[in-house]
mmCIF file of all heavy atoms in Angstrom:
data_model
loop_
_atom_site.group_PDB
_atom_site.id
_atom_site.type_symbol
_atom_site.label_atom_id
_atom_site.label_comp_id
_atom_site.label_asym_id
_atom_site.label_seq_id
_atom_site.Cartn_x
_atom_site.Cartn_y
_atom_site.Cartn_z
ATOM 1 N N LEU Q 54 189.801 143.233 -48.885
ATOM 2 C CA LEU Q 54 190.541 142.771 -47.706
ATOM 3 C C LEU Q 54 190.986 141.262 -47.962
ATOM 4 O O LEU Q 54 192.081 140.821 -47.597
ATOM 5 C CB LEU Q 54 189.749 142.896 -46.431
ATOM 6 C CG LEU Q 54 189.672 144.424 -45.964
ATOM 7 C CD1 LEU Q 54 188.659 144.466 -44.863
ATOM 8 C CD2 LEU Q 54 190.978 144.956 -45.594
ATOM 9 N N GLY Q 55 190.031 140.471 -48.581
ATOM 10 C CA GLY Q 55 190.322 139.155 -48.851
ATOM 11 C C GLY Q 55 191.509 138.933 -49.826
ATOM 12 O O GLY Q 55 192.406 138.145 -49.593
ATOM 13 N N TYR Q 56 191.477 139.776 -50.898
ATOM 14 C CA TYR Q 56 192.523 139.733 -51.943
ATOM 15 C C TYR Q 56 193.903 140.122 -51.295
ATOM 16 O O TYR Q 56 194.912 139.478 -51.563
ATOM 17 C CB TYR Q 56 192.279 140.647 -53.067
ATOM 18 C CG TYR Q 56 191.121 140.222 -53.949
ATOM 19 C CD1 TYR Q 56 190.055 141.050 -54.186
ATOM 20 C CD2 TYR Q 56 191.135 138.880 -54.455
ATOM 21 C CE1 TYR Q 56 188.945 140.579 -55.009
ATOM 22 C CE2 TYR Q 56 190.016 138.479 -55.276
ATOM 23 C CZ TYR Q 56 188.959 139.324 -55.522
ATOM 24 O OH TYR Q 56 188.000 138.934 -56.410
ATOM 25 N N ILE Q 57 193.832 141.141 -50.466
ATOM 26 C CA ILE Q 57 195.132 141.585 -49.827
ATOM 27 C C ILE Q 57 195.695 140.518 -48.918
ATOM 28 O O ILE Q 57 196.929 140.180 -49.008
ATOM 29 C CB ILE Q 57 194.859 142.897 -48.952
ATOM 30 C CG1 ILE Q 57 194.538 144.076 -49.871
ATOM 31 C CG2 ILE Q 57 196.105 143.183 -48.118
ATOM 32 C CD1 ILE Q 57 194.048 145.310 -49.244
ATOM 33 N N GLU Q 58 194.801 139.832 -48.189
ATOM 34 C CA GLU Q 58 195.383 138.715 -47.290
ATOM 35 C C GLU Q 58 195.922 137.616 -48.142
ATOM 36 O O GLU Q 58 196.990 137.040 -47.851
ATOM 37 C CB GLU Q 58 194.164 138.255 -46.564
ATOM 38 C CG GLU Q 58 194.516 137.631 -45.245
ATOM 39 C CD GLU Q 58 193.236 137.398 -44.308
ATOM 40 O OE1 GLU Q 58 192.629 138.425 -43.947
ATOM 41 O OE2 GLU Q 58 192.866 136.256 -44.213
ATOM 42 N N THR Q 59 195.301 137.307 -49.289
ATOM 43 C CA THR Q 59 195.835 136.200 -50.193
ATOM 44 C C THR Q 59 197.082 136.628 -50.687
ATOM 45 O O THR Q 59 198.043 135.787 -50.849
ATOM 46 C CB THR Q 59 194.810 135.905 -51.202
ATOM 47 O OG1 THR Q 59 193.570 135.912 -50.670
ATOM 48 C CG2 THR Q 59 195.121 134.540 -51.889
ATOM 49 N N LEU Q 60 197.268 137.934 -51.103
ATOM 50 C CA LEU Q 60 198.516 138.426 -51.678
ATOM 51 C C LEU Q 60 199.608 138.366 -50.725
ATOM 52 O O LEU Q 60 200.769 138.148 -51.078
ATOM 53 C CB LEU Q 60 198.296 139.802 -52.250
ATOM 54 C CG LEU Q 60 197.613 139.893 -53.534
ATOM 55 C CD1 LEU Q 60 197.367 141.410 -53.960
ATOM 56 C CD2 LEU Q 60 198.504 139.300 -54.652
ATOM 57 N N GLN Q 61 199.347 138.599 -49.416
ATOM 58 C CA GLN Q 61 200.340 138.573 -48.393
ATOM 59 C C GLN Q 61 200.725 137.174 -48.068
ATOM 60 O O GLN Q 61 201.832 136.912 -47.557
ATOM 61 C CB GLN Q 61 199.782 139.257 -47.106
ATOM 62 C CG GLN Q 61 199.722 140.756 -47.205
ATOM 63 C CD GLN Q 61 198.998 141.421 -46.095
ATOM 64 O OE1 GLN Q 61 198.114 140.804 -45.496
ATOM 65 N NE2 GLN Q 61 199.394 142.658 -45.752
ATOM 66 N N GLY Q 62 199.756 136.235 -48.305
ATOM 67 C CA GLY Q 62 200.114 134.878 -47.975
ATOM 68 C C GLY Q 62 200.327 133.914 -49.141
ATOM 69 O O GLY Q 62 201.339 134.084 -49.845
ATOM 70 N N PRO Q 63 199.348 133.093 -49.437
ATOM 71 C CA PRO Q 63 199.518 132.054 -50.475
ATOM 72 C C PRO Q 63 199.972 132.550 -51.832
ATOM 73 O O PRO Q 63 200.698 131.843 -52.541
ATOM 74 C CB PRO Q 63 198.126 131.396 -50.561
ATOM 75 C CG PRO Q 63 197.333 132.008 -49.536
ATOM 76 C CD PRO Q 63 198.049 133.116 -48.945
ATOM 77 N N ALA Q 64 199.569 133.737 -52.306
ATOM 78 C CA ALA Q 64 199.861 134.185 -53.677
ATOM 79 C C ALA Q 64 201.120 134.964 -53.800
ATOM 80 O O ALA Q 64 201.447 135.458 -54.791
ATOM 81 C CB ALA Q 64 198.700 134.952 -54.197
ATOM 82 N N ARG Q 65 201.909 135.051 -52.687
ATOM 83 C CA ARG Q 65 203.023 135.980 -52.617
ATOM 84 C C ARG Q 65 204.002 135.643 -53.728
ATOM 85 O O ARG Q 65 204.509 136.581 -54.353
ATOM 86 C CB ARG Q 65 203.684 135.831 -51.250
ATOM 87 C CG ARG Q 65 204.684 136.875 -50.970
ATOM 88 C CD ARG Q 65 205.132 136.984 -49.594
ATOM 89 N NE ARG Q 65 205.349 138.354 -49.264
ATOM 90 C CZ ARG Q 65 204.980 138.937 -48.095
ATOM 91 N NH1 ARG Q 65 204.348 138.226 -47.242
ATOM 92 N NH2 ARG Q 65 205.205 140.141 -47.942
ATOM 93 N N GLU Q 66 204.346 134.348 -53.918
ATOM 94 C CA GLU Q 66 205.453 134.052 -54.837
ATOM 95 C C GLU Q 66 204.886 133.648 -56.256
ATOM 96 O O GLU Q 66 205.623 133.302 -57.100
ATOM 97 C CB GLU Q 66 206.195 132.787 -54.319
ATOM 98 C CG GLU Q 66 206.666 132.881 -52.868
ATOM 99 C CD GLU Q 66 207.578 134.122 -52.642
ATOM 100 O OE1 GLU Q 66 208.210 134.482 -53.639
ATOM 101 O OE2 GLU Q 66 207.624 134.665 -51.503
ATOM 102 N N ASP Q 67 203.528 133.760 -56.450
ATOM 103 C CA ASP Q 67 202.913 133.319 -57.688
ATOM 104 C C ASP Q 67 202.607 134.569 -58.596
ATOM 105 O O ASP Q 67 201.569 135.194 -58.378
ATOM 106 C CB ASP Q 67 201.718 132.476 -57.310
ATOM 107 C CG ASP Q 67 201.049 131.898 -58.602
ATOM 108 O OD1 ASP Q 67 201.266 132.457 -59.724
ATOM 109 O OD2 ASP Q 67 200.240 130.968 -58.382
ATOM 110 N N ALA Q 68 203.439 134.837 -59.573
ATOM 111 C CA ALA Q 68 203.290 135.992 -60.345
ATOM 112 C C ALA Q 68 201.958 136.110 -61.111
ATOM 113 O O ALA Q 68 201.347 137.133 -61.120
ATOM 114 C CB ALA Q 68 204.458 136.125 -61.327
ATOM 115 N N ALA Q 69 201.508 134.911 -61.698
ATOM 116 C CA ALA Q 69 200.262 134.930 -62.432
ATOM 117 C C ALA Q 69 199.044 135.162 -61.509
ATOM 118 O O ALA Q 69 198.176 135.979 -61.845
ATOM 119 C CB ALA Q 69 200.126 133.549 -63.103
ATOM 120 N N ALA Q 70 199.087 134.641 -60.320
ATOM 121 C CA ALA Q 70 197.975 134.853 -59.396
ATOM 122 C C ALA Q 70 197.971 136.239 -58.893
ATOM 123 O O ALA Q 70 196.925 136.848 -58.778
ATOM 124 C CB ALA Q 70 198.142 133.878 -58.192
ATOM 125 N N ARG Q 71 199.207 136.775 -58.719
ATOM 126 C CA ARG Q 71 199.274 138.175 -58.231
ATOM 127 C C ARG Q 71 198.572 139.181 -59.260
ATOM 128 O O ARG Q 71 197.863 140.019 -58.981
ATOM 129 C CB ARG Q 71 200.740 138.636 -58.090
ATOM 130 C CG ARG Q 71 201.056 138.819 -56.636
ATOM 131 C CD ARG Q 71 202.314 139.494 -56.438
ATOM 132 N NE ARG Q 71 203.314 139.636 -57.406
ATOM 133 C CZ ARG Q 71 204.429 138.914 -57.542
ATOM 134 N NH1 ARG Q 71 204.693 137.998 -56.663
ATOM 135 N NH2 ARG Q 71 205.251 139.080 -58.561
ATOM 136 N N GLU Q 72 198.821 138.864 -60.547
ATOM 137 C CA GLU Q 72 198.305 139.648 -61.651
ATOM 138 C C GLU Q 72 196.752 139.588 -61.657
ATOM 139 O O GLU Q 72 196.117 140.584 -61.759
ATOM 140 C CB GLU Q 72 198.942 139.137 -62.971
ATOM 141 C CG GLU Q 72 199.037 140.157 -64.063
ATOM 142 C CD GLU Q 72 199.662 141.420 -63.523
ATOM 143 O OE1 GLU Q 72 200.760 141.412 -62.919
ATOM 144 O OE2 GLU Q 72 199.029 142.455 -63.814
ATOM 145 N N ARG Q 73 196.256 138.343 -61.449
ATOM 146 C CA ARG Q 73 194.822 138.159 -61.459
ATOM 147 C C ARG Q 73 194.187 138.904 -60.249
ATOM 148 O O ARG Q 73 193.156 139.554 -60.452
ATOM 149 C CB ARG Q 73 194.470 136.616 -61.271
ATOM 150 C CG ARG Q 73 194.258 135.918 -62.580
ATOM 151 C CD ARG Q 73 193.441 134.701 -62.380
ATOM 152 N NE ARG Q 73 193.668 133.935 -61.175
ATOM 153 C CZ ARG Q 73 194.610 133.083 -60.894
ATOM 154 N NH1 ARG Q 73 195.566 132.792 -61.844
ATOM 155 N NH2 ARG Q 73 194.745 132.503 -59.772
ATOM 156 N N PHE Q 74 194.802 138.745 -59.096
ATOM 157 C CA PHE Q 74 194.231 139.376 -57.928
ATOM 158 C C PHE Q 74 194.242 140.941 -58.093
ATOM 159 O O PHE Q 74 193.251 141.608 -57.762
ATOM 160 C CB PHE Q 74 195.012 138.926 -56.673
ATOM 161 C CG PHE Q 74 194.614 137.625 -56.176
ATOM 162 C CD1 PHE Q 74 195.521 136.639 -56.049
ATOM 163 C CD2 PHE Q 74 193.268 137.385 -55.891
ATOM 164 C CE1 PHE Q 74 195.120 135.323 -55.603
ATOM 165 C CE2 PHE Q 74 192.858 136.085 -55.494
ATOM 166 C CZ PHE Q 74 193.794 135.099 -55.345
ATOM 167 N N LEU Q 75 195.322 141.517 -58.635
ATOM 168 C CA LEU Q 75 195.357 142.929 -58.813
ATOM 169 C C LEU Q 75 194.221 143.394 -59.798
ATOM 170 O O LEU Q 75 193.633 144.400 -59.512
ATOM 171 C CB LEU Q 75 196.731 143.362 -59.351
ATOM 172 C CG LEU Q 75 197.817 143.335 -58.302
ATOM 173 C CD1 LEU Q 75 199.196 143.702 -58.994
ATOM 174 C CD2 LEU Q 75 197.566 144.406 -57.237
ATOM 175 N N THR Q 76 193.943 142.644 -60.786
ATOM 176 C CA THR Q 76 192.881 143.019 -61.762
ATOM 177 C C THR Q 76 191.545 142.987 -61.019
ATOM 178 O O THR Q 76 190.749 143.928 -61.160
ATOM 179 C CB THR Q 76 192.827 142.006 -62.948
ATOM 180 O OG1 THR Q 76 194.142 141.925 -63.533
ATOM 181 C CG2 THR Q 76 191.767 142.467 -64.026
ATOM 182 N N SER Q 77 191.359 142.033 -60.189
ATOM 183 C CA SER Q 77 190.022 141.917 -59.439
ATOM 184 C C SER Q 77 189.998 143.071 -58.362
ATOM 185 O O SER Q 77 188.901 143.644 -58.149
ATOM 186 C CB SER Q 77 189.976 140.580 -58.624
ATOM 187 O OG SER Q 77 190.079 139.511 -59.494
ATOM 188 N N MET Q 78 191.122 143.407 -57.778
ATOM 189 C CA MET Q 78 191.155 144.447 -56.791
ATOM 190 C C MET Q 78 190.818 145.848 -57.446
ATOM 191 O O MET Q 78 190.107 146.638 -56.892
ATOM 192 C CB MET Q 78 192.474 144.504 -56.080
ATOM 193 C CG MET Q 78 192.785 143.376 -55.170
ATOM 194 S SD MET Q 78 194.472 143.290 -54.576
ATOM 195 C CE MET Q 78 194.482 144.552 -53.341
ATOM 196 N N GLN Q 79 191.382 145.971 -58.651
ATOM 197 C CA GLN Q 79 191.031 147.210 -59.446
ATOM 198 C C GLN Q 79 189.556 147.282 -59.659
ATOM 199 O O GLN Q 79 188.945 148.342 -59.498
ATOM 200 C CB GLN Q 79 191.829 147.213 -60.763
ATOM 201 C CG GLN Q 79 191.738 148.517 -61.509
ATOM 202 C CD GLN Q 79 192.562 148.428 -62.761
ATOM 203 O OE1 GLN Q 79 192.767 147.437 -63.332
ATOM 204 N NE2 GLN Q 79 193.197 149.568 -63.109
ATOM 205 N N ALA Q 80 188.950 146.166 -60.005
ATOM 206 C CA ALA Q 80 187.467 146.135 -60.340
ATOM 207 C C ALA Q 80 186.694 146.499 -59.070
ATOM 208 O O ALA Q 80 185.680 147.364 -59.223
ATOM 209 C CB ALA Q 80 187.126 144.781 -60.963
ATOM 210 N N GLU Q 81 187.106 146.020 -57.966
ATOM 211 C CA GLU Q 81 186.375 146.311 -56.723
ATOM 212 C C GLU Q 81 186.499 147.773 -56.327
ATOM 213 O O GLU Q 81 185.589 148.421 -55.896
ATOM 214 C CB GLU Q 81 186.861 145.416 -55.560
ATOM 215 C CG GLU Q 81 186.732 143.972 -55.719
ATOM 216 C CD GLU Q 81 185.209 143.469 -55.821
ATOM 217 O OE1 GLU Q 81 184.351 144.284 -55.397
ATOM 218 O OE2 GLU Q 81 184.935 142.399 -56.245
ATOM 219 N N ALA Q 82 187.725 148.376 -56.494
ATOM 220 C CA ALA Q 82 188.024 149.755 -56.141
ATOM 221 C C ALA Q 82 187.218 150.604 -57.122
ATOM 222 O O ALA Q 82 186.560 151.644 -56.782
ATOM 223 C CB ALA Q 82 189.460 150.022 -56.251
ATOM 224 N N GLN Q 83 187.115 150.227 -58.444
ATOM 225 C CA GLN Q 83 186.303 151.046 -59.426
ATOM 226 C C GLN Q 83 184.826 150.976 -58.978
ATOM 227 O O GLN Q 83 184.144 151.993 -59.150
ATOM 228 C CB GLN Q 83 186.477 150.359 -60.840
ATOM 229 C CG GLN Q 83 187.805 150.922 -61.440
ATOM 230 C CD GLN Q 83 188.155 150.120 -62.703
ATOM 231 O OE1 GLN Q 83 187.607 149.044 -62.909
ATOM 232 N NE2 GLN Q 83 189.093 150.669 -63.436
ATOM 233 N N ARG Q 84 184.473 149.825 -58.468
ATOM 234 C CA ARG Q 84 183.016 149.738 -58.107
ATOM 235 C C ARG Q 84 182.735 150.674 -56.948
ATOM 236 O O ARG Q 84 181.563 151.350 -56.935
ATOM 237 C CB ARG Q 84 182.785 148.311 -57.687
ATOM 238 C CG ARG Q 84 181.535 147.894 -57.009
ATOM 239 C CD ARG Q 84 181.498 146.467 -56.746
ATOM 240 N NE ARG Q 84 180.171 146.254 -56.181
ATOM 241 C CZ ARG Q 84 179.077 146.201 -56.824
ATOM 242 N NH1 ARG Q 84 179.142 146.443 -58.115
ATOM 243 N NH2 ARG Q 84 177.909 145.999 -56.181
ATOM 244 N N MET Q 85 183.617 150.764 -55.918
ATOM 245 C CA MET Q 85 183.434 151.731 -54.875
ATOM 246 C C MET Q 85 183.500 153.187 -55.305
ATOM 247 O O MET Q 85 182.660 153.986 -54.925
ATOM 248 C CB MET Q 85 184.525 151.495 -53.783
ATOM 249 C CG MET Q 85 184.427 150.224 -53.063
ATOM 250 S SD MET Q 85 185.760 149.938 -51.962
ATOM 251 C CE MET Q 85 185.406 151.056 -50.717
ATOM 252 N N ASN Q 86 184.349 153.419 -56.288
ATOM 253 C CA ASN Q 86 184.439 154.699 -56.879
ATOM 254 C C ASN Q 86 183.208 155.222 -57.655
ATOM 255 O O ASN Q 86 182.652 156.294 -57.436
ATOM 256 C CB ASN Q 86 185.577 154.709 -57.890
ATOM 257 C CG ASN Q 86 186.168 156.069 -58.028
ATOM 258 O OD1 ASN Q 86 185.979 156.978 -57.294
ATOM 259 N ND2 ASN Q 86 186.865 156.307 -59.209
ATOM 260 N N ARG Q 87 182.561 154.213 -58.351
ATOM 261 C CA ARG Q 87 181.293 154.522 -58.993
ATOM 262 C C ARG Q 87 180.127 154.786 -58.063
ATOM 263 O O ARG Q 87 179.423 155.703 -58.217
ATOM 264 C CB ARG Q 87 180.866 153.265 -59.885
ATOM 265 C CG ARG Q 87 181.350 153.363 -61.356
ATOM 266 C CD ARG Q 87 180.542 152.392 -62.216
ATOM 267 N NE ARG Q 87 180.558 151.115 -61.630
ATOM 268 C CZ ARG Q 87 181.525 150.127 -61.843
ATOM 269 N NH1 ARG Q 87 182.547 150.411 -62.558
ATOM 270 N NH2 ARG Q 87 181.462 148.925 -61.338
ATOM 271 N N LEU Q 88 180.183 153.959 -56.971
ATOM 272 C CA LEU Q 88 179.153 154.137 -55.945
ATOM 273 C C LEU Q 88 179.241 155.541 -55.362
ATOM 274 O O LEU Q 88 178.240 156.265 -55.170
ATOM 275 C CB LEU Q 88 179.258 153.022 -54.901
ATOM 276 C CG LEU Q 88 178.243 153.084 -53.832
ATOM 277 C CD1 LEU Q 88 176.795 152.902 -54.308
ATOM 278 C CD2 LEU Q 88 178.463 152.004 -52.747
ATOM 279 N N VAL Q 89 180.443 155.867 -54.875
ATOM 280 C CA VAL Q 89 180.641 157.201 -54.262
ATOM 281 C C VAL Q 89 180.316 158.307 -55.289
ATOM 282 O O VAL Q 89 179.620 159.298 -54.920
ATOM 283 C CB VAL Q 89 182.111 157.326 -53.743
ATOM 284 C CG1 VAL Q 89 182.338 158.801 -53.283
ATOM 285 C CG2 VAL Q 89 182.350 156.383 -52.646
ATOM 286 N N GLY Q 90 180.585 158.192 -56.525
ATOM 287 C CA GLY Q 90 180.307 159.143 -57.599
ATOM 288 C C GLY Q 90 178.824 159.316 -57.750
ATOM 289 O O GLY Q 90 178.317 160.390 -57.693
ATOM 290 N N ASP Q 91 178.072 158.131 -57.745
ATOM 291 C CA ASP Q 91 176.609 158.208 -57.890
ATOM 292 C C ASP Q 91 176.024 158.813 -56.569
ATOM 293 O O ASP Q 91 174.979 159.536 -56.658
ATOM 294 C CB ASP Q 91 175.976 156.822 -58.193
ATOM 295 C CG ASP Q 91 176.101 156.461 -59.656
ATOM 296 O OD1 ASP Q 91 176.582 157.375 -60.426
ATOM 297 O OD2 ASP Q 91 175.688 155.320 -59.962
ATOM 298 N N LEU Q 92 176.522 158.489 -55.532
ATOM 299 C CA LEU Q 92 175.970 159.077 -54.249
ATOM 300 C C LEU Q 92 176.155 160.614 -54.220
ATOM 301 O O LEU Q 92 175.199 161.284 -53.843
ATOM 302 C CB LEU Q 92 176.659 158.487 -52.969
ATOM 303 C CG LEU Q 92 176.344 157.055 -52.602
ATOM 304 C CD1 LEU Q 92 177.256 156.505 -51.635
ATOM 305 C CD2 LEU Q 92 174.852 157.047 -52.026
ATOM 306 N N LEU Q 93 177.268 161.075 -54.726
ATOM 307 C CA LEU Q 93 177.479 162.477 -54.774
ATOM 308 C C LEU Q 93 176.520 163.210 -55.807
ATOM 309 O O LEU Q 93 176.022 164.139 -55.538
ATOM 310 C CB LEU Q 93 178.930 162.874 -55.129
ATOM 311 C CG LEU Q 93 180.013 162.589 -53.973
ATOM 312 C CD1 LEU Q 93 181.371 162.744 -54.636
ATOM 313 C CD2 LEU Q 93 179.719 163.594 -52.928
ATOM 314 N N SER Q 94 176.343 162.529 -56.920
ATOM 315 C CA SER Q 94 175.352 163.024 -57.907
ATOM 316 C C SER Q 94 173.990 163.114 -57.323
ATOM 317 O O SER Q 94 173.358 164.149 -57.475
ATOM 318 C CB SER Q 94 175.274 162.081 -59.138
ATOM 319 O OG SER Q 94 176.399 162.065 -59.825
ATOM 320 N N LEU Q 95 173.613 162.093 -56.628
ATOM 321 C CA LEU Q 95 172.314 162.041 -56.121
ATOM 322 C C LEU Q 95 172.121 163.159 -55.080
ATOM 323 O O LEU Q 95 171.072 163.855 -54.999
ATOM 324 C CB LEU Q 95 172.029 160.667 -55.379
ATOM 325 C CG LEU Q 95 170.691 160.371 -54.985
ATOM 326 C CD1 LEU Q 95 169.729 160.360 -56.202
ATOM 327 C CD2 LEU Q 95 170.606 158.944 -54.332
ATOM 328 N N SER Q 96 173.070 163.396 -54.173
ATOM 329 C CA SER Q 96 172.926 164.397 -53.176
ATOM 330 C C SER Q 96 172.975 165.805 -53.857
ATOM 331 O O SER Q 96 172.156 166.659 -53.380
ATOM 332 C CB SER Q 96 173.937 164.260 -52.097
ATOM 333 O OG SER Q 96 175.000 165.092 -52.242
ATOM 334 N N ARG Q 97 173.681 165.974 -54.921
ATOM 335 C CA ARG Q 97 173.739 167.261 -55.627
ATOM 336 C C ARG Q 97 172.415 167.494 -56.211
ATOM 337 O O ARG Q 97 171.816 168.616 -56.100
ATOM 338 C CB ARG Q 97 174.780 167.266 -56.685
ATOM 339 C CG ARG Q 97 175.339 168.619 -57.020
ATOM 340 C CD ARG Q 97 176.502 168.640 -57.922
ATOM 341 N NE ARG Q 97 177.605 167.748 -57.535
ATOM 342 C CZ ARG Q 97 178.182 166.754 -58.251
ATOM 343 N NH1 ARG Q 97 177.782 166.573 -59.522
ATOM 344 N NH2 ARG Q 97 179.103 165.978 -57.702
ATOM 345 N N VAL Q 98 171.807 166.516 -56.810
ATOM 346 C CA VAL Q 98 170.494 166.631 -57.489
ATOM 347 C C VAL Q 98 169.371 166.905 -56.457
ATOM 348 O O VAL Q 98 168.579 167.781 -56.730
ATOM 349 C CB VAL Q 98 170.157 165.362 -58.298
ATOM 350 C CG1 VAL Q 98 168.759 165.406 -58.828
ATOM 351 C CG2 VAL Q 98 171.081 165.133 -59.424
ATOM 352 N N GLU Q 99 169.554 166.355 -55.316
ATOM 353 C CA GLU Q 99 168.538 166.569 -54.235
ATOM 354 C C GLU Q 99 168.647 167.988 -53.676
ATOM 355 O O GLU Q 99 167.628 168.605 -53.488
ATOM 356 C CB GLU Q 99 168.702 165.559 -53.196
ATOM 357 C CG GLU Q 99 168.077 164.226 -53.446
ATOM 358 C CD GLU Q 99 168.339 163.156 -52.356
ATOM 359 O OE1 GLU Q 99 169.263 163.317 -51.643
ATOM 360 O OE2 GLU Q 99 167.448 162.250 -52.222
ATOM 361 N N ASP Q 100 169.859 168.465 -53.621
ATOM 362 C CA ASP Q 100 170.111 169.876 -53.114
ATOM 363 C C ASP Q 100 169.462 170.821 -54.088
ATOM 364 O O ASP Q 100 168.943 171.850 -53.613
ATOM 365 C CB ASP Q 100 171.598 170.134 -53.076
ATOM 366 C CG ASP Q 100 172.295 169.710 -51.824
ATOM 367 O OD1 ASP Q 100 171.490 169.378 -50.861
ATOM 368 O OD2 ASP Q 100 173.480 169.752 -51.763
ATOM 369 N N GLU Q 101 169.545 170.557 -55.376
ATOM 370 C CA GLU Q 101 168.983 171.451 -56.377
ATOM 371 C C GLU Q 101 167.524 171.302 -56.715
ATOM 372 O O GLU Q 101 167.073 171.934 -57.616
ATOM 373 C CB GLU Q 101 169.869 171.397 -57.638
ATOM 374 C CG GLU Q 101 171.266 171.917 -57.406
ATOM 375 C CD GLU Q 101 172.162 171.594 -58.539
ATOM 376 O OE1 GLU Q 101 171.779 170.773 -59.477
ATOM 377 O OE2 GLU Q 101 173.259 172.168 -58.587
ATOM 378 N N ALA Q 102 166.847 170.395 -55.995
ATOM 379 C CA ALA Q 102 165.546 169.963 -56.333
ATOM 380 C C ALA Q 102 164.585 171.130 -56.390
ATOM 381 O O ALA Q 102 163.689 171.129 -57.342
ATOM 382 C CB ALA Q 102 164.986 168.932 -55.374
ATOM 383 N N ARG Q 103 164.672 172.138 -55.630
ATOM 384 C CA ARG Q 103 163.757 173.258 -55.628
ATOM 385 C C ARG Q 103 164.179 174.387 -56.580
ATOM 386 O O ARG Q 103 163.346 175.404 -56.709
ATOM 387 C CB ARG Q 103 163.637 173.758 -54.225
ATOM 388 C CG ARG Q 103 162.698 172.927 -53.374
ATOM 389 C CD ARG Q 103 162.728 173.371 -51.892
ATOM 390 N NE ARG Q 103 162.524 172.218 -51.086
ATOM 391 C CZ ARG Q 103 161.371 171.666 -50.885
ATOM 392 N NH1 ARG Q 103 160.338 172.036 -51.494
ATOM 393 N NH2 ARG Q 103 161.264 170.556 -49.995
ATOM 394 N N MET Q 104 165.362 174.257 -57.125
ATOM 395 C CA MET Q 104 165.822 175.378 -58.010
ATOM 396 C C MET Q 104 165.389 175.102 -59.484
ATOM 397 O O MET Q 104 165.647 173.987 -60.013
ATOM 398 C CB MET Q 104 167.345 175.469 -57.975
ATOM 399 C CG MET Q 104 167.832 176.131 -56.735
ATOM 400 S SD MET Q 104 169.581 176.468 -56.975
ATOM 401 C CE MET Q 104 170.371 175.037 -56.203
#
Side-chain angles (χ1 to χ4, degrees):
L54 289 171
Y56 289 127
I57 290 170
E58 209 167 292
T59 319
L60 279 175
Q61 286 171 329
R65 195 169 214 135
E66 310 301 333
D67 183 341
R71 250 194 344 254
E72 211 45 53
R73 263 203 327 277
F74 281 121
L75 282 173
T76 309
S77 303
M78 289 169 77
Q79 188 177 34
E81 297 296 343
Q83 278 165 346
R84 176 178 177 70
M85 291 174 71
N86 203 19
R87 267 199 306 276
L88 180 61
V89 172
D91 277 357
L92 284 168
L93 286 172
S94 291
L95 193 59
S96 102
R97 204 172 312 127
V98 173
E99 279 177 335
D100 276 348
E101 292 171 348
R103 283 171 212 286
M104 287 190 263

